[in-house]
Structures are given as C-alpha cells and as structure tokens.
Amino acid sequence: MLTVELTKKWMELFYDEIDKNKAYLSELDTPIGDGDHGNNMKRGVTGVKEGLAKLKEPDLKATLQAIAMALISKVGGASGPLYGTAFLEMAKKCNETQKPEELFTVALEGIKKRGGAKEGDKTMVDVWAPIVKTFSDGSFSKEEIKKAVESTKDMEARKGRASYLGERSIGHLDPGAMSSGYLFETFIDAGGTK
Amino acid sequence: MTKKIGIVIVSHVPEVAAGIPRLLEQVAADVSITFAGGTDDNDIGTSAAKISTAFTENKADEIAAFYDLGSSKMNLELAVEMTDKKVHIYDAALIEGAYTAATLLQADVALKDVEEQLAPLKIK
C-alpha cells in the first residue's frame, strides 16, 4: 500500500540515487540526446524535496500532487511533463486505491498519452510497461528492473531527440529508462514491496 | 480591434520565443501574440507555468499555439489542461506555421481555412 510515509521515504532515496548518478545520466544522454538528463532530473528531485518540505501533514493525494508539480515545473526537458503526468495520474487515483500496481498502471497510461510512445520505442515506457506487468505475476524485483532498462540498449529510438539519430541510437541505453529504473529500485528500497 | 483568435509561441529558447512575435507583428498588428520560452530559470527547455501565463496574458479567449520541439508539446498540453481558454495546438513548422496563421487571422479568415493552409506545413 502506498502511504505518505512510504512516498516520502521513496522520494528521499530517489533524490540520493539521482544525485549519485547525475553525471552518469547525462553521459547516457550525450550520444543520443542533449546531454542534460542528469542535471534536469537533479533539478526535479531538488524541487520535489523542497515541495514536500513545505507541506504540513499532507494526505497521500497532496503529497503526490506536490511531487507532480515540482517535476513539471523544474525539470525542463521532456522528462518533466512525463514524470509529472505519472505522479498527477497517481494523485487522481489514490483516494480510490493505494495499491502500487494500480497506481503505476494509471501512471503508465498517463506517460503513454502525454508522450505518445509505445513499447519498443526506446523510452521510459520500456521500463514502466514491463515493470507494471511484474506486479501481477509477483516478479517485481531489482533483477526485472535491470532487465527492462537493459532491453532499451538494442532498440532503435522512435521518440524524442534520440529518434533523429534513427538506427545510430542502437547500442545506447535510454537515459529516461535508466532514471525510471532508479525510481522503481528506490521504491523497493523504501519498502514498497512489503 | 483585437482579433478573436490569438497566437501563442512556445520555444525551448527564450530569445527564439521572444523573436518570432516581432516577425508576426509585421503582418498581424491586431492579433494578440504572446510567448513562452525556456524554463522557469530561463535555461533551455519549456515550462508549463510559463505557457499558462502566455495563455492568460493573451487578449483572446481562443488561441492558436505553435511550438518547436517534442517536449514543448507536452508542456503545451499540460498548460491546455490548466486553462479555460480554447486552445488549438498545431504541429506545423514553428515560424512558417505561425506566420501563415498570423497573416490569415489578421485578414479575418475562418479558422478552418487557416487550418487548411497549415496542413501542408505539418512536420511533426
């Protein structure tokens, strides 16, 4: 069950992970993007931290909304509206259900709608889609997350700036898939599967 | 008199967003044209908040919106969800599309005819 405490812990760990891997994310983004994914995400998670600190005894909905607004307004690149939409959709749904599986499902639908990407386009969807599925067969784990991130390496980009490179994008991990991997890994570390 | 339909320009670069209206104003003195460029910190990128402000500041209640690259469309769509104004997003080449629309809106051409002329300029 997603709770305010779990969400806060999750965002703290996500901040640490992005901070630690900022240079690596930008490095992944350099051959196939504009080399700023690490900095963009760092700006976003910093905004999330500040946004959450301002809330006084928030409920889950207010917590998720604050995360969404911070990501939308601070990230700047495509990741801002995409991650922001994911959390906004979770916020809309969370009074009805707190099951991670169902919340991640609506988040994924939001990402797909906002960005227009399908599975196989070499985007964050290639992590979100298979990971959402692992909840139903109980295989949600860091191994599955890693596998999903790695799967983007051999794909040809069909969305975002990497798509301008066409088949030259093959052989590179997608940076948005990598940061999504960190998001799910830190969800596990925060105790999301307990 | 200000025309019924306004134009909003969205670009990753503050100077690009600010520069295009200068071009359009030459052919569309009565069309309200506002713009949103860069992130909240004026870095390269787009901002849904800035786009919302451009919608609010536009004198028209109906808006034709033009943008440059991928993520600006996503932020445009987010801003559309936050405004009460009627916004049409066009996937046309930014400068050529906006210039065409400005010229035609100034001449009171109906929106559906404007859209017909924008169709061949669609590049995304």
Side-chain angles (χ1 to χ4, degrees):
Chain A
M1 290 297 142
L2 196 63
T3 61
V4 174
E5 291 68 38
L6 170 60
T7 308
K8 282 186 170 168
K9 180 85 196 148
W10 177 24
M11 287 300 115
E12 276 168 31
L13 295 174
F14 186 48
Y15 176 94
D16 293 343
E17 200 63 23
I18 293 293
D19 188 44
K20 201 166 73 190
N21 294 292
K22 194 177 96 164
Y24 177 56
L25 285 174
S26 287
E27 187 190 308
L28 288 179
D29 196 28
T30 299
I32 58 171
D34 48 6
D36 63 358
H37 190 57
N39 289 326
N40 285 346
M41 289 305 292
K42 178 67 196 294
R43 238 188 357 248
V45 291
T46 303
V48 168
K49 199 180 228 187
E50 289 165 0
L52 290 179
K54 274 189 219 142
L55 298 179
K56 292 200 180 69
E57 297 180 34
D59 57 10
L60 185 58
K61 188 170 187 155
T63 306
L64 293 168
Q65 268 171 343
I67 296 168
M69 291 322 289
L71 293 170
I72 288 168
S73 61
K74 298 291 176 202
V75 177
S79 317
L82 290 168
Y83 277 112
T85 300
F87 280 93
L88 213 51
E89 293 300 323
M90 286 163 68
K92 281 192 219 160
K93 185 85 175 174
C94 73
N95 283 343
E96 200 182 305
T97 174
Q98 293 83 45
K99 277 192 188 158
E101 175 184 358
E102 290 179 35
L103 293 173
F104 289 146
T105 299
V106 292
L108 168 63
E109 282 162 14
I111 292 170
K112 282 181 162 172
K113 183 184 134 237
R114 182 71 64 213
K118 299 183 299 292
E119 277 179 75
D121 285 351
K122 197 183 183 89
T123 70
M124 63 198 289
V125 168
D126 293 308
V127 170
W128 281 78
I131 289 308
V132 163
K133 276 183 218 140
T134 62
F135 279 92
S136 41
D137 62 15
S139 66
F140 179 58
S141 62
K142 289 198 178 178
E143 290 72 51
E144 291 298 318
I145 297 168
K146 204 157 276 155
K147 225 173 15 178
V149 173
E150 284 293 326
S151 76
T152 64
K153 194 166 190 168
D154 297 331
M155 293 176 185
E156 179 179 336
R158 283 193 289 260
K159 280 281 162 191
R161 216 150 308 173
S163 66
Y164 298 146
L165 292 166
E167 60 186 24
R168 286 182 287 271
S169 65
I170 295 171
H172 300 281
L173 282 182
D174 177 64
M178 189 70 248
S179 59
S180 294
Y182 295 148
L183 185 73
F184 286 114
E185 279 172 10
T186 50
F187 183 72
I188 294 177
D189 291 336
T193 47
K194 286 182 194 121
Chain B
M1 217 191 98
T2 312
K3 302 292 178 189
K4 200 168 94 324
I5 301 176
I7 291 178
V8 167
I9 303 293
V10 181
S11 169
H12 277 59
V13 186
E15 290 83 358
V16 170
I20 294 174
R22 292 182 56 203
L23 176 68
L24 307 190
E25 278 155 14
Q26 297 206 308
V27 290
D30 303 316
V31 178
S32 180
I33 303 166
T34 51
F35 60 90
T39 65
D40 291 343
D41 304 324
N42 287 324
D43 286 330
I44 303 300
T46 53
S47 145
K50 271 193 178 176
I51 300 169
S52 294
T53 307
F55 288 161
T56 309
E57 284 174 351
N58 200 291
K59 292 194 186 85
D61 288 329
E62 192 170 352
I63 286 165
F66 297 87
Y67 64 95
D68 56 2
L69 298 167
S71 72
S72 45
K73 185 176 189 182
M74 294 183 212
N75 273 320
L76 243 178
E77 287 171 344
L78 272 172
V80 170
E81 287 168 21
M82 296 187 260
T83 181
D84 293 331
K85 294 191 177 184
K86 190 169 183 191
V87 182
H88 311 271
I89 299 177
Y90 295 110
D91 302 332
L94 174 60
I95 298 177
E96 289 81 353
Y99 193 82
T100 301
T103 310
L104 297 174
L105 291 174
Q106 176 68 31
D108 293 316
V109 173
L111 189 63
K112 75 168 184 31
D113 297 321
V114 175
E115 289 177 350
E116 214 163 277
Q117 270 188 244
L118 287 176
L121 299 175
K122 186 175 161 149
I123 54 159
K124 5 189 198 205

